[in-house]
Amino acid sequence: MGDRLNLDHAATTPMVPAAAQALADAFARWANPSSPHAEGRAARAAIERARGRISAAYGWAGECIFTSGASEAIAIACTRAQVGAVLVSATEHEAVLRAVPDAERLPVLADGTLDRAALEAALARTPGRVLVAVQWGNNETGVLQPLGDIARIVHAAGGLLLADAAQMPVGWDDGDLPQDHADFIAISGHKRGGPIGIGALLVRDLATLHPSGGQERGYRGGTENMPGAVAFQAALDTPEDLIYMADLRDHLDVLIAEAGGDPIGGTAERRTPLIGAYRMPGVAAATQLIRFDLAGIAVSAGAACSSGSMRPSHVLAQMGIAAADASEVIRVSFGRETGADDVARFVAAWREIAGELRVQPPAPERRL
């Protein structure tokens, strides 16, 4: 692939070397962690060490249930929380919308944050205990939800809060950390430099979740993925320079605006440092993806799970962005290795593509 530039880390981030080595070492000593023999006990010890260190990385004092990824973690929380109803923000990831397709969808404001008045009204008219699902950092725009405000409203009504933190790096503190507010947190290994096939549901109190039998303290069936858990832990042990990446993203916002583009989403203070969404007026996102790919740059149009079909973004629509404008938006997402030269290369390609393809207004009709 040569000199290609990956700016699609929100889809998946390449495994960091420490995680790849940990995965290989764990497979070399693989045994079923439920087996009573020495090899099984060693595998059990390894997975429990990983469980403790992953929980500590997220500042979590509750339980950690390993899953196949954030999507399964979300499905477990949404379908097995001991509640009578589920409410979700209208800009949630497809994993949430698929898990509870009949859940009431709560509107968001123009900046992408949950409409707290609508949340209060929905809780007031919904009987029994309610689970509210919100995405801490949106996977298309990077907009951060004010989890503290949301949690106070949810808990005052006796409800539970699920925070989807799959897109958020460990260590980013915007003053609204999910571990301070959420009852459930969904996390993903491959979004943080670990392998695919491993994630977790962090649970504050197992009494709020219906058990299903099997492994993981009876809350998830199937042989535990010890190599994946150990590699996930190794990835989280590999630091990310989040302040540097936030500065890069802010700098990219400025450069895109100077180039005639339109940064989408909330203020810099209310977005993840890793994701930016940008509109190139007059150029369809599908065309942009092809041109950037030909230029050796990988970006995306919204979520990877739906961008292959190029469906209209429900996230941008819920933010009040016109369909024609939303169809011109692409997502840029950073990783550990992204640097200033990469941003400069992307902006140079942006200027070239926009200059060649941007729709020009028709020339005025000449009258003789």
Side-chain angles (χ1 to χ4, degrees), residues 361-367:
E365 183 180 352
R366 295 183 62 187
R367 296 183 180 275

Side-chain angles (χ1 to χ4, degrees), residues 10 16 29 31 138 183 192 197 239 245 253 275-276 329:
V16 297
R29 64 177 192 274
N138 186 267
D183 301 284
R192 301 272 52 85
M245 284 193 274
D253 286 353
I275 297 174
V329 175

Side-chain angles (χ1 to χ4, degrees), residues 34-339:
S34 296
S35 298
H37 47 62
E39 291 81 2
R41 295 196 304 273
R44 169 60 58 191
I47 202 169
E48 294 307 326
R49 283 194 301 272
R51 192 190 312 275
R53 288 174 65 175
I54 290 170
S55 294
Y58 283 92
W60 190 248
E63 301 288 340
C64 172
I65 299 172
F66 283 122
T67 66
S68 62
S71 291
E72 185 190 2
I74 287 167
I76 290 173
C78 285
T79 61
R80 302 221 311 266
Q82 298 208 32
V83 296
V86 181
L87 305 175
V88 304
S89 87
T91 56
E92 287 306 291
H93 189 278
E94 290 286 350
V96 173
L97 305 182
R98 286 195 301 266
V100 280
D102 297 327
E104 180 178 349
R105 300 189 186 186
L106 303 172
V108 298
L109 305 175
D111 65 357
T113 60
L114 185 64
D115 184 329
R116 271 80 89 194
L119 170 62
E120 289 180 317
L123 288 168
R125 66 173 175 267
T126 305
R129 184 159 66 174
V130 176
L131 175 71
V132 176
V134 295
Q135 194 175 27
W136 183 22
N138 186 267
N139 57 297
E140 293 190 32
T141 63
V143 170
L144 296 179
Q145 293 292 343
L147 292 182
D149 287 349
I150 295 170
R152 281 188 287 274
I153 296 169
V154 172
H155 291 152
L160 301 173
L161 177 63
L162 163 64
D164 172 6
Q167 289 291 352
M168 291 302 296
V170 170
W172 183 253
D173 187 353
D174 71 331
D176 261 338
L177 294 172
Q179 58 262 38
D180 294 335
H181 306 295
D183 301 284
F184 305 99
I185 304 175
I187 57 177
S188 168
H190 77 101
K191 305 289 190 181
R192 301 272 52 85
I196 60 172
I198 188 69
L201 178 66
L202 306 182
V203 183
R204 191 171 300 280
D205 182 359
L206 285 176
T208 62
L209 196 66
H210 289 288
S212 64
Q215 288 75 19
E216 290 300 285
R217 294 161 169 79
Y219 288 87
R220 195 254 183 180
T223 301
E224 296 97 328
N225 180 1
M226 182 273 284
V230 170
F232 187 5
Q233 167 220 305
L236 294 182
D237 288 343
T238 304
E240 298 181 81
D241 191 341
L242 301 178
I243 298 301
Y244 176 68
M245 284 193 274
D247 289 342
L248 276 183
R249 202 278 322 284
D250 293 347
H251 184 52
L252 177 57
D253 286 353
V254 172
L255 294 178
I256 291 297
E258 291 176 349
D262 183 16
I264 303 294
T267 65
E269 293 76 19
R270 296 301 311 167
R271 281 188 290 158
T272 165
L274 308 180
I275 297 174
Y278 304 100
R279 176 181 169 234
M280 184 184 290
V283 183
T287 302
Q288 293 179 57
L289 297 190
I290 294 170
R291 289 297 302 269
F292 278 115
D293 192 43
L294 291 173
I297 302 173
V299 293
S300 66
C305 59
S306 60
S307 62
S309 64
M310 295 307 297
R311 290 178 293 166
S313 167
H314 73 283
V315 173
L316 300 181
Q318 291 296 326
M319 292 171 65
I321 296 174
D325 293 343
S327 70
E328 299 168 345
V329 175
I330 63 169
R331 178 184 69 183
V332 177
S333 48
F334 296 161
R336 288 174 175 85
E337 75 277 14
T338 309

